[in-house]
Amino acid sequence: MSPGPALVAALLAAAPGPSALEALSEQLRAQVVAAHPEPPVAVAVEASSAALAETTAALVATRLGESGLPAVVIGSGEDAAARARSAGARSLVRLRLQVAAEVLGAGELRSVWRNFWAGRAAPETGPTRVLSAAVPVDRATQLLAAGPGQGAGLVLDPAPLARLPVRTAALATGDLDGDGRPEVAVLAGGEVSVLDGAGSLLARHSLLDLPPAATPAREPFGTLCIGEGRLVVAWARADGSLALRLQGGQLVRGTGGGAPTLGCGASAEPASFAPGAARLVLARGPEREPLWGGDARAGHRLLLLPDGTARWFQPGSEVRVLRDVGAGAALVSWRGEMRVAASSAAAAPAEDRLRLVGPGPEEPSVAVPGRILQVCGGAPGPGPALVLGLWTADGGSELRVVRGPP
Amino acid sequence: MRRGAILVLLAAAAPLEARAAARARDGGTLRLAVLPEVRADRWGETPEGAALRELVAAPLCRVEGGGRVQPVLASVQRTADGVSVVPRPGARFSSGAPLGTAELAQAWARAVERSPVARAALGPVRELAPTLEQQSRGKAAGLLLPLAHPWPDLEVSLCHPALAPVLGDGGSDGVGPYAPDGAERGRAVPAFPEGRPHPDGFLVSTLARRAAQRALETRSAQVLLGDGGEAAAPALFATYLVSRPQARPMVSLLETRLDRPALVRSFVGSPAAAMPGLLPPSLGGPERSASAGGSPGRGSGTALLLYAADRPGQRAVAQRLQILLRDAGVSLRLGARTPEALDRDWRAGQGDLALRSVLLPPVPAAALAVVLELAGDPGAGRRELAGLGALADERERAARTRERALQLAGALPVVPLYVEGLRARLDPALVDVRRDAFGLWTLDDAWWP
C-alpha cells in the first residue's frame, strides 16, 4: 500500500513553488531532450518505494510528452530494455533515485531499437547519455520514499508488545498497581491478563467460572475499564461482570462490577451486550441500535455503527459522521486535542490501516498487519502512543503499539 | 431537534461503506457440498467426516494450531489422582438435555466400544469401564478420571473428535453449534457455550465429485468436503495394516513388495504421503523407509483382509494388496465392512489382516498410544506408555516417543502404509475458517461479508 493519491496531491499542492520531484523531473527532461533520443521513450525508475518510483516515472514521462517526445512508463529491473522494446519504445530512460537531504536521480538514456537485419544476437548499444540531477528534498518526497506503514505522523513499533494464541475481546490501559505507570489489560480466550509496559505477564484471571450468558457472542467481545486501581471486566459470553484488583502479583476479585459500558470513568455510559452478537447496546439515550462499540470521554462520544460509519458527538459542535471506520476505534487525547483513532471497516483485511481524525487535516494513516479490533490510548512508553488489539490470520492476536513523534 | 437534523443531513451526504464488515455478520446459510463417502462417515472418523460432524457434535475442547488447548464443552483440571473433566454450564445436547458428567461418562462408554482412538485416548485411565459405569449414574460437577500412570498428553487426547459427547446410540444427538434439522440441515444454536455460529443454519448437499466441484466454482456451495486439500497442512489420518500372528508370514511377503510412494500416487491421491514409520512425518516420523533387504519371497495359503467398504482409498489399497500377495502366491480374500463393524469384527477375531485408518492426535506420545491400541496388546501398550508418560518435559517425551516408535516398528503387528490430510476446498470469500492442530477446519466460526 502506498500513501493515497489524494494525500500526495494535497502535499504537492501545498508545497510553495514546484515540488522537489517536479524540479527533479524538469532537470532530467531537459537532459533527455538535449540528447535527441529516438521516440517513443520508455521511462523506468527504481526507488526505495514503489510509490516514489511510480510518481517520478509518471512525472518524467509527462514532461517528455509535453516536449514532443512521446513516453511510456515501464517497471524497472534487469529486463527493462526488453520490456521497453515490447512496449514499442526505441529509447529507454533508466533512473535510480536516492532520498536524503537531497533527492538524487541518476541513470542513463540509451537506444533499445534493434535493426531487423542485425540478427538474433544483436549487440547492446551503450548509453547515449548519462543522466543526473539533484534537488533539495521536501516532505512529499520523504513521504513517498518512506513506503507503506510509515506515515508522517504515526509509526508502528516494529515488534509486537505481546502475542496471544487466541483473539482479543477487549483492551484497556491504566495504572493498576499504583506505580504511576500504565499497565495493559487484555481480555482474551476466557481470561483477563495484565501486562507491564514491556509486555510481560503480571497476572491473569479466568472468567470461565462466571455464569454463562443465555446467548453468548461467538466473536470475542467485551469491555474493560481501569480506574481507581480497579479493573472492571464485562465479557459477552458471561452473565454479569466483575471488578479485579492487582494485589501481590495476582488479580483478586473485588467488590462491585456492573454492566458493560461505552467508555470508561466519569463519562462512561451504561450499556448491555446484544444477545448472541458482538454488539453493544446503549441503555439510555436515543441511539439504541446495536453498535460495534465506541467510546465516551470529556463531553465527547463516539458510536461505531455496523455499516462502517461512526458518529462523533463533540461538545458545542455538530455531530460529525466519519466514514470507513471499523470496530477498532477510540477517542484519544493526542497532543492536547481530542481525536478519533480509527481502523478501517474493510472485511477481514490482511493489512488494516489506522488513522487519526481530528479537527484539522487528517494525518497519514499507518499500515498495520492484521485486523485492528481494539484501540486504546495511553500506551506505555515515550510520546503519545496507542495500543492496538490485532487479530491475525492464524486465529491468534497481537498487541501492537503505534506512536506519534515525541 | 437541530442536532438530529444535522446528523441526518451529514449521514445522507456520506455514502455508506457498502461492504463494511470489520466484525462478523450474522445470517445466511452455510452451504456444504460433500462427496458420498463423506456423508457415509456417520461417526466422523475421517478428517472430512469429522469437520462436518463437528457442526452438530462439537469436541470437548479444541487444540489450536499452536498447541494450546481451548475448552469448548468442558474444561479439564488436574487433580492429585488424575483429572477432572468439568462440563461447561450451558452445554446442551440438541435434544435439550444438559451435558453433565453422567451423560459424558455414558457417551465415552459407548465411544470406546466402537473407536480405537477413543480407547487409546482413555487408555491411561485406571479401571476405565468401572470408572465410567460408576459415574454414569452420578451427578458430580466433574467427571473424575484416575490415571494408572502419569499421562501429560491427556488433555490433547480428550479433544479428539472421537470423544465428542453424543447422547444415545443414534449418533445425531450431540452438543454442537448447530442442531440437526432433518438429515441435510442444521440451525444455529443461540445458547452454544462458544456463541451461536454466524450463519443461521447450514445445508449439506451430497454430490458426485464433478458436481461438487462445479457447485463450489459456481458458488452454490461454499465448502467442499472430500476433494482438494493442501499438501502443507498437517496430515494425521493414518492407515495401517494390522495382522494376526498367523498372518505374519504374509505381511513379510508384502513388505518386500510394498512401494508406499507408488501406493499413494496411484491409489490414494493427495493430500497424502507415504508413511514408512509408525508415526507420520508431521509428528516427526521418518519420511523414507530403509530399503527392504533381500529378494521378494514366495508363499502359499489364503487369508482374509478386512477393510472399510465406504472408504474408496481403502478399497483401492485392499485390491492392490490382493494383487501383490497373489504375485507372491497367496490368495487374499477381501472382506468389506462398515467402519463400526470392522472394529467390532476385528476385535471379535474375524479376519487375518485388516486395514485400519485412524485420525491420530497431534502429539507423538498420544499418537503412539493409538498405534499400540491397534496392535491389540493392552498390557504391553500400558507398560510402554507409562515410561513415556513419566517424562514430564514435552520435548523430551516427544523425542523419546519417536525413538521408541522406530524401535517398535518391526515388533508390532502394525504396518504403517500412508497418511492423509483433510480433503476440502473453500470459497475464498469465507472468513475465519481456521485449521486446528488435527488439521481439521473449524467451520463454526465461518462467515462472509
Side-chain angles (χ1 to χ4, degrees), chain B residues 79-255:
Chain B
T79 65
D81 196 22
V83 299
S84 170
V85 183
V86 183
R88 282 177 73 174
R92 286 181 177 273
F93 293 95
S94 57
S95 57
L99 171 67
T101 51
E103 290 75 18
L104 191 54
Q106 289 160 15
W108 283 358
R110 285 188 295 272
V112 297
E113 284 303 310
R114 67 170 182 270
S115 164
V117 178
R119 288 194 292 277
L122 296 172
V125 177
R126 196 169 59 226
E127 305 290 338
L128 176 63
T131 297
L132 293 179
E133 165 63 24
Q134 183 197 346
Q135 298 191 65
S136 65
R137 295 190 301 268
K139 287 203 177 295
L143 178 62
L144 297 170
L145 301 176
L147 296 183
H149 57 78
W151 194 241
D153 294 319
L154 184 69
E155 284 85 346
V156 171
S157 299
L158 294 183
C159 298
H160 198 288
L163 291 180
V166 177
L167 207 59
D169 293 319
S172 60
D173 194 4
V175 187
Y178 296 91
D181 189 6
E184 313 296 338
R185 290 177 180 274
R187 59 177 192 284
V189 176
F192 187 67
E194 294 285 286
R196 59 153 277 177
H198 300 298
D200 293 331
F202 72 79
L203 171 64
V204 178
S205 306
T206 307
L207 300 171
R209 187 178 305 271
R210 287 300 302 272
Q213 289 168 345
R214 212 162 31 245
L216 190 73
E217 284 160 15
T218 57
R219 306 187 92 166
S220 53
Q222 295 155 297
V223 180
L224 194 173
L225 292 173
D227 185 67
E230 295 166 33
L236 291 170
F237 188 53
T239 296
Y240 300 88
L241 177 70
V242 296
S243 58
R244 308 257 182 231
Q246 70 270 17
R248 293 311 298 270
M250 293 165 195
V251 172
S252 302
L253 291 174
L254 257 182
E255 281 189 302

Side-chain angles (χ1 to χ4, degrees), chain A residues 9-106:
Chain A
L11 285 167
L12 288 172
S19 72
L21 287 186
E22 284 175 319
L24 186 85
S25 304
E26 177 53 31
Q27 287 186 30
L28 292 166
R29 179 204 66 81
Q31 293 172 30
V32 173
V33 169
H36 302 292
E38 189 172 0
V41 179
V43 181
V45 178
E46 202 175 311
S48 60
S49 76
L52 180 61
E54 286 166 15
T55 306
T56 310
L59 275 172
V60 172
T62 306
R63 294 289 176 272
L64 290 175
E66 288 166 359
S67 304
L69 267 179
V72 292
V73 174
I74 62 167
S76 61
E78 287 298 311
D79 57 345
R83 277 184 287 112
R85 274 192 288 274
S86 358
R90 296 218 164 181
S91 305
L92 169 65
V93 170
R94 207 164 162 178
L95 294 167
R96 179 188 288 260
L97 289 194
Q98 201 175 62
V99 178
E102 288 190 316
V103 189
L104 174 66

Side-chain angles (χ1 to χ4, degrees), chain B residues 333-350:
Chain B
R333 287 180 296 116
L334 303 185
R337 300 285 191 278
T338 65
E340 297 143 81
L342 174 57
D343 186 65
R344 188 188 58 228
D345 292 352
W346 178 255
R347 291 171 72 206
Q350 288 187 28

Side-chain angles (χ1 to χ4, degrees), chain B residues 295-340:
Chain B
S295 56
R298 287 191 61 79
S300 60
T302 61
L304 172 64
L305 170 73
L306 304 185
Y307 73 96
D310 50 13
R311 310 248 167 95
Q314 270 207 17
R315 190 168 55 241
V317 168
Q319 287 166 350
R320 178 63 187 155
L321 297 183
Q322 188 179 37
I323 291 168
L324 288 177
L325 277 178
R326 190 188 61 199
D327 294 347
V330 174
S331 168
L332 189 66
R333 287 180 296 116
L334 303 185
R337 300 285 191 278
T338 65
E340 297 143 81

